[in-house]
Amino acid sequence: MPTAAQSATPTRARKPAAKPTRAPRQQDAVAMLREDHKKVAALFDEYEKARSANVKRRLVESICAELTVHTTLEEDIFYPAFKAALKDKELVPEAKVEHQSVKDLIAQVRGREPDGEDFDAKVKVMGEFVKHHVKEEQNEMFPKATKSKLDLVELGRQMAERKQQLMAQ
Ligand SMILES: [Fe+2]
Ligand SMILES: [Fe+2]
């Protein structure tokens, strides 16, 4: 049964709870991707310093998981939007080739034992590929995206939603 107060104010929206709900923090797409880049670079740095196989195994798993989600978000959401908005015929195709090189290396290390110099070499080369690729995204692609008519906040929203799904898998 409605209380007197509720039935007395049929049109006015009820006051929101005093405690603020979580601030709607929607990062734009470029900020999200940059954050991922930073995170992965730090993981590669940690790998360089790591000595034990356990630590290396954990770091490689994190690197591969992060890169897999990141490249999927770019390939499925960011790159197609960028390509369409900028009529790009160069940056996105090149970026996808670079992603493929990284994925080939991921396939060679993921779930394997970090058992020596050959393994370390693969991780190192992967780190170098990623560094080069990130530089191109940040120096060429992202500035163009920022200056374009792309709705980066909306793209960020789509990417955040997709990321949650991918992380849950
Ligand atoms: Fe990329
Ligand atoms: Fe990226």
Side-chain angles (χ1 to χ4, degrees), residues 37-150:
H37 291 166
K38 246 194 203 167
K39 191 169 176 185
V40 170
L43 290 169
F44 277 115
D45 284 348
E46 271 190 65
Y47 189 96
E48 285 269 310
K49 290 179 228 138
R51 291 293 166 262
S52 86
N54 266 340
V55 174
K56 287 183 180 181
R57 195 184 305 114
R58 182 178 58 73
L59 286 168
V60 163
E61 183 46 39
S62 299
I63 288 169
C64 294
E66 289 288 338
L67 286 175
T68 301
V69 170
H70 181 84
T71 53
T72 303
L73 294 177
E74 287 183 337
E75 287 173 25
D76 290 0
I77 300 172
F78 188 78
Y79 289 174
F82 179 89
K83 200 172 192 319
L86 280 295
K87 303 196 177 8
D88 172 72
K89 289 182 180 350
E90 192 188 346
L91 294 179
V92 167
E94 277 179 29
K96 281 156 80 177
V97 174
E98 290 173 357
H99 278 193
Q100 193 52 53
S101 308
V102 172
K103 287 178 195 177
D104 291 344
L105 281 166
I106 287 176
Q108 291 181 51
V109 295
R110 197 168 198 180
R112 307 276 174 96
E113 233 357 73
D115 54 1
E117 58 194 30
D118 289 347
F119 188 95
D120 289 345
K122 285 172 186 163
V123 178
K124 182 157 191 182
V125 171
M126 196 200 296
E128 285 163 359
F129 283 174
V130 169
K131 198 174 191 175
H132 164 85
H133 175 72
V134 160
K135 211 171 174 181
E136 293 200 333
E137 287 184 339
Q138 297 194 167
N139 292 350
E140 296 184 47
M141 199 183 269
F142 294 174
K144 283 189 178 171
T146 306
K147 280 187 223 137
S148 76
K149 60 178 169 51
L150 274 174

